[in-house]
Amino acid sequence: MSAGTLGFEQEAQLANHHTMRAGYTSISSGTMHQLVAAIAADAFNVPLRDVRAGIHDGQGQVSVQLAVPLVIPMPPETAGKEQVKNRAGTLFERAAEARKIVAQRLHDLAGTSVGQVDIRFTGVHHGKPSTAGRVL
């Protein structure tokens, strides 16, 4: 078969064949846990150290379990941009929005199809930096 009879996609693959390398890429389960925790910390605007994440494979889709603190925003006169986004909606609305963010970003970064994201609030984060234990 000559190159002129190949379809457009096949011609593109043939043209790029010389740049392809043999091998595979894998993501360890520990890395997936850390990735999910980092995405959740960003989505909930809490420190990464306060997030616990679990992942399980269920019928071809990933199931994510998150344990995060509930963000209690600062009063409006002292709130910054990060705290303003945490005041939008009820706890359930905020959790639903974070659920979408976690599923979409995990799909975008790892190519993983997310079937379920369970969220458990485990404490309170006041949404302001702590200076306890710091030398000022």
Side-chain angles (χ1 to χ4, degrees), residues 1-97:
M1 182 182 286
S2 70
T5 61
L6 295 175
F8 179 76
E9 277 184 34
Q10 293 166 329
E11 285 182 21
Q13 288 175 353
L14 185 61
N16 292 328
H17 181 69
H18 69 280
T19 61
M20 297 175 68
R21 300 285 184 254
Y24 66 94
T25 303
S26 65
I27 302 172
S28 71
S29 63
T31 300
M32 285 296 288
H33 280 89
Q34 291 174 348
L35 179 61
V36 169
I39 291 169
D42 187 54
F44 283 98
N45 195 31
V46 296
L48 178 58
R49 69 178 179 273
D50 293 343
V51 177
R52 290 190 315 270
I55 57 171
H56 301 285
D57 184 20
Q59 300 174 4
Q61 291 188 321
V62 170
S63 176
V64 175
Q65 294 80 37
L66 299 171
V68 297
L70 173 64
V71 174
I72 304 296
M74 295 186 303
E77 62 275 2
T78 60
K81 290 181 184 175
E82 294 86 32
Q83 285 78 27
V84 171
K85 74 178 181 181
N86 285 323
R87 277 200 304 272
T90 67
L91 298 177
F92 296 104
E93 292 167 341
R94 289 164 37 189
E97 184 62 29

Side-chain angles (χ1 to χ4, degrees), residues 32 35-44 54-55 61-66 94-119:
M32 285 296 288
L35 179 61
V36 169
I39 291 169
D42 187 54
F44 283 98
I55 57 171
Q61 291 188 321
V62 170
S63 176
V64 175
Q65 294 80 37
L66 299 171
R94 289 164 37 189
E97 184 62 29
R99 207 175 264 115
K100 289 179 200 173
I101 292 169
V102 168
Q104 184 61 52
R105 290 200 56 207
L106 192 56
H107 180 268
D108 292 347
L109 293 171
T112 302
S113 177
V114 179
Q116 181 173 332
V117 179
D118 296 329
I119 299 168

